[in-house]
Amino acid sequence: AVFGPQLQSSMAAAAMRSCCRGVLQAGGHGRATPLWPRRTGGLRQKSSVQYLNRPDLPKLAYQRIKGKSPGVVFLPGLASNMNGQKAEALEDFCKSLGHSYLRFDYTGCGASEGVWEECTLGTWKKDVLTVLDELTEGPQILVGSSMGGWLMLLAAIARPEKTAALIGIASATDHFVTAFKSLPIEVRKETEEKGVWKLVSKHSEEGFYNMRLEFIKEAENHCMLQSPIPVTCPVRLIHGMQDQDVPWHVSMQVAERVLSTDVDVVLRKHGTHRMSEKDDLKLLVYTIDDLIDKLTTLA
């Protein structure tokens, strides 16, 4: 079901109250679930960085903890990496539950090999499919942040047997293409002449990302919001209404387009694009915990 903003806000509030009542909640299959993992001796026990070798392709850096199914895979946003707050919070949470967890860097990002400027959305889609094929066992809960929310949908279509559920955080589905096409015609002409579009973003040290025209044109091949999206697994979409980078309406469009009938949208009234505040992270782990309960019960 897709709910209106007022009900979505109350859903989020209920989820937050449930998270904040204590560190333990009885799981749907009889387990006590720590909703915010305790740290040992004040120090976080991190997984170690490993590298996936690929013939004739750049190595991909990843960190993995083994555990129960369904596992969780985190897909970062544009020019981001696997060491962000959301990625690390999810590792802590999955470790506390004993479920497997994988985070990785796309080609040209973070600790992975490759040149960022030479990559396309198709390059990063291939990265996601590779790690699903090579580094995971069984169906996974894919958690996509921003651009990762677009990639998770592409992965779910390409690998339905590896996709147990989807969680989009400020999903940026089609966003680069939509944003480019909404530019004034003179700016688009200038971009076509120079071959580069400066995508303004406060998350970049320079204040913008240099997006090649070839990147935008290639991304058009992966646009999804103009037709039904053949994804039938459970889908959860979380978006901040103060998001200045990707409008929250994008998550509503995704919810309308996916074929799944098990779809929830939660809007955070004061949430921003990164969704990395403590309450945002609590809501995220609550959502994962609820999905694990659901999937385990169905199994």
Side-chain angles (χ1 to χ4, degrees), residues 265-276:
V265 179
V266 176
L267 299 178
R268 299 277 292 152
K269 185 170 184 178
H270 301 292
T272 60
H273 184 64
R274 289 207 164 174
M275 294 291 290
S276 292

Side-chain angles (χ1 to χ4, degrees), residues 126-189:
K126 185 179 294 185
D127 291 347
V128 176
L129 299 182
T130 298
V131 299
L132 285 176
D133 292 341
E134 302 293 331
L135 300 176
T136 67
E137 295 180 8
Q140 306 291 308
I141 298 174
L142 306 185
V143 181
S145 177
S146 191
M147 182 188 74
W150 187 355
L151 291 170
M152 76 177 186
L153 291 168
L154 294 170
I157 293 170
R159 297 289 188 275
E161 74 284 356
K162 298 287 284 189
T163 308
L166 302 177
I167 300 176
I169 309 163
S171 179
T173 308
D174 291 12
H175 178 63
F176 307 132
V177 176
T178 304
F180 179 73
K181 288 184 175 180
S182 67
L183 292 172
I185 189 167
E186 59 270 19
V187 177
R188 277 185 285 160
K189 281 186 176 180

